[in-house]
Amino acid sequence: VPAPKRIGVCTGGGDAPGLNAVIRAVVLSAARLGWEVLGIKHGYQGLLDVSQTRPLTEPDVREITALGGTILGTTNRVNPLAFPAPGPGGGTVTVDRSGEVLANFRALGLDALVTIGGDGTLRIAQRLFEQGLPLVAVPKTIDNDLEATVVTFGFDTAVSTATDALDRLRTTAEAHRRVMVVEAMGRLAGWIALHAGVAATADVILLPEIPFDIDAVCRHVLARERQGLGYSLVMVAEGARPVGGEVVTTDVREAGHEVKLGGIAALVATQIAERTGKETRTLVLGHLLRGGPPTTFDRLIALRFGAAAVRAIQAGQFGSMIALDPPVMKAVPIAEAVSRPRRVPLDCDTVQTARSLGICLGDPA
Ligand code: F6P
């Protein structure tokens, strides 16, 4: 008789449409095998405070495939390896609480963990795995900047939302003969800006991968003007920066959290207005890209990621991350997936297509 199995599942980092579909697939696949599933709430928080857990059975995951957010809650602030604690003299220090995570994992009677998250969550997962926690990771990021998987769930939804926004902004930009500068998420990689920008035929797309020359952008805007096209749509990734310049950050500073990017659209818009005399407006899409129901594509791959994670546990493939390598889902070492961010290759087909379509990517002349 096989030993009874009990697995945990948690969602960490920024949310992404499709998280609930992954949870559903994990719960139903595990139930088929006779395993129990415990939901760990708020990322790794539920493994530091065991009251933050809840059993998950079939009724708990009914009709959640199309639901945005995560029924387990998430956070990008809880790192058990560097947890803020009061320090001497009233300051704050960070302490390693991974021992508690392992002890709680055992106390909860868990045999394995499915951890769903992006770069930060996966790095923590790798360390917990090295310390003896049997886990399988499912990659998650709307930014699509994780190595080893060709795509993450949530990305397609974010691109669809951004494309829809650009389509809507085009008509008002045209009506007013304005330059609309639209900022999309994408800290390290410009996948969302590139895909939505090409799909919606933005006139300019600025990516973190190509430091931009504002003069090249302005020349493009003015060339359109001479062609009688008095408006332009500029799509800029939050992590884009001018040649020789820095990324633009907000003044939001949260302990143990990466610096928040934001504001590049305003900077670009101001410079375009100054240099071309054109009226400009900005829109930061921000968290809108993380909300709403996942697209059909994201629902399907999220369900596939969840089911594959349970199969990987069954096969004892701990320390691995499920990766989509079409047409298959495969298990790859987590360490490989977090080795470096997956940036947009400058020679990739979509970049070439953007250039062929006459879209300005801000390259210096
Ligand atoms: O990593 C995903 C992401 O969407 C980034 O593009 C963005 O900078 C970040 O999350 C914002 O996260 P939050 O505002 O939730 O801390």
Side-chain angles (χ1 to χ4, degrees), residues 13-15 76 140-143 145 184-188 192 238 254 257-261 286-287 290:
D15 69 331
N76 45 19
K140 170 252 39 151
T141 157
I142 64 162
D143 294 358
D145 58 358
M185 281 189 174
R187 294 180 71 83
L188 303 169
I192 297 175
E238 63 181 350
E254 291 160 347
H257 190 23
E258 285 187 86
V259 62
K260 268 195 74 57
L261 299 187
H287 297 83
R290 297 225 299 245

Side-chain angles (χ1 to χ4, degrees), residues 296-320:
T296 309
F297 180 83
D298 278 341
R299 291 178 202 192
L300 181 61
I301 62 166
L303 293 166
R304 291 176 63 198
F305 271 112
V310 170
R311 288 197 300 270
I313 288 177
Q314 202 181 10
Q317 293 170 310
F318 299 118
S320 66

